[in-house]
Amino acid sequence: MNSPLTLLVVKNIAESLHFYIETLGLKLLEQYDDCIKLKSGAHEIIMFEGTNKATEYAHGYNANSTLLFTVDDLDSRIKEMKSFGVQFVHDSPNENRWGRYSAFKDPSGIVHELFQLHV
């Protein structure tokens, strides 16, 4: 297998395009009426607009897709994203053996995480 891509199915492609480019800072590679291709670092993300409402789920093993965005300063990135109205799942960052993280939702309710690696 070659390098994996991520597929996200969203409720509104225009709203998601704005969020992923303006709020998260991803790069737009291709745009069509029904799909877009974005890039974060070396990773590409393909996004389609779905026709069914997403199932509500708690963050955990039943999550559909989760992107981990590595950041140098987790606290300042959380503050910046909250200023854009981004809804975070955790009240404060959590920590595991690799670093600190905080989960947030995109406009479709898809949960992703900001992750600051331990140095």
Side-chain angles (χ1 to χ4, degrees), residues 6-68:
T6 299
L7 170 65
L8 297 177
V9 180
V10 299
K11 69 178 177 181
N12 182 305
I13 198 85
E15 180 181 41
S16 295
L17 176 64
H18 177 79
F19 177 81
Y20 282 85
I21 290 175
E22 301 301 325
T23 303
L24 298 183
L26 276 61
K27 180 181 177 183
L28 178 64
L29 296 179
E30 297 178 42
Q31 181 176 3
Y32 305 97
D33 291 340
D34 62 343
C35 64
I36 55 178
K37 184 191 277 188
L38 304 168
K39 190 165 190 170
S40 177
H43 188 79
E44 293 183 359
I45 301 158
I46 296 174
M47 198 173 296
F48 286 91
E49 188 169 294
T51 57
N52 294 328
K53 183 177 177 183
T55 303
E56 277 295 317
Y57 63 91
H59 185 57
Y61 67 87
N62 58 344
N64 293 321
S65 297
T66 297
L67 297 172
L68 297 176

Side-chain angles (χ1 to χ4, degrees), residues 64-82:
N64 293 321
S65 297
T66 297
L67 297 172
L68 297 176
F69 294 100
T70 57
V71 296
D72 294 326
D73 184 345
L74 180 63
D75 298 310
S76 65
R77 189 66 171 126
I78 290 171
K79 184 178 178 180
E80 178 185 5
M81 288 175 61
K82 282 184 175 181

Side-chain angles (χ1 to χ4, degrees), residues 91-111:
D91 291 329
S92 61
N94 292 304
E95 192 163 347
N96 62 27
R97 68 186 68 206
W98 298 289
R100 296 173 61 233
Y101 63 94
S102 190
F104 64 92
K105 291 185 178 183
D106 81 351
S108 298
I110 300 170
V111 176

